[in-house]
Amino acid sequence: MHTSVDEQCTKPKVSIEEITAGLRELSYLIEENRYADNLLLTKVFNKGKFCCELSNSNSFLVYVLDSKNRRYFEEYGVYGNNNTSKQVINALHAIFHKKSRLL
């Protein structure tokens, strides 16, 4: 199938649906829809829970909750449409590994 140059330039490479599906394959759970365009995904580890809030506006907020639900290591970020969904998934999962070791 051939796509025009215009379609290739305007079609975003990042999809919140693809990111969500990729993180679910890595054992993240969808906790809730925070707002109409935000999702909260979590991954439990031995000392707490890693939380990742994804927004349709190409931004994310990640943080770690300890066993008493105290929030630590908050980090806000933005990804551009020049990234692919797979790159965003890999970056978020790398942040999980880094932050889960800090608690």
Side-chain angles (χ1 to χ4, degrees), residues 16-17 33-39 54-56:
I16 194 166
E17 292 83 11
N33 287 330
R34 288 286 177 140
Y35 310 102
D37 62 346
N38 282 28
L39 280 174
L54 293 176
S55 169
N56 273 334

Side-chain angles (χ1 to χ4, degrees), residues 77-89:
V78 177
Y79 50 86
N81 279 333
N82 57 338
N83 297 108
T84 64
S85 295
K86 178 117 178 101
Q87 288 171 321
V88 175
I89 293 164

Side-chain angles (χ1 to χ4, degrees), residues 17 25 58:
E17 292 83 11
E25 288 177 13
N58 288 11

Side-chain angles (χ1 to χ4, degrees), residues 1 7-8 13 16 18 21 24 26 35 37 41-42 51-54 63 67 82 89 92 98-99 102:
M1 179 177 199
E7 286 177 17
Q8 290 175 354
K13 297 178 187 176
I16 194 166
E18 288 176 3
R24 288 183 70 196
L26 295 169
Y35 310 102
D37 62 346
L41 291 101
T42 62
C51 301
C52 177
E53 294 183 18
L54 293 176
Y63 51 91
S67 60
N82 57 338
I89 293 164
L92 290 171
K98 181 176 79 175
K99 292 193 181 295
L102 297 174

Side-chain angles (χ1 to χ4, degrees), residues 26-29 31 41-51 64-66 93 96 100:
L26 295 169
S27 302
Y28 288 75
L29 300 174
E31 292 268 335
L41 291 101
T42 62
K43 185 171 179 77
V44 175
F45 60 100
N46 60 350
K47 293 182 182 178
K49 185 189 307 188
F50 177 76
C51 301
V64 174
L65 295 176
D66 68 7
H93 196 54
F96 159 74
S100 63

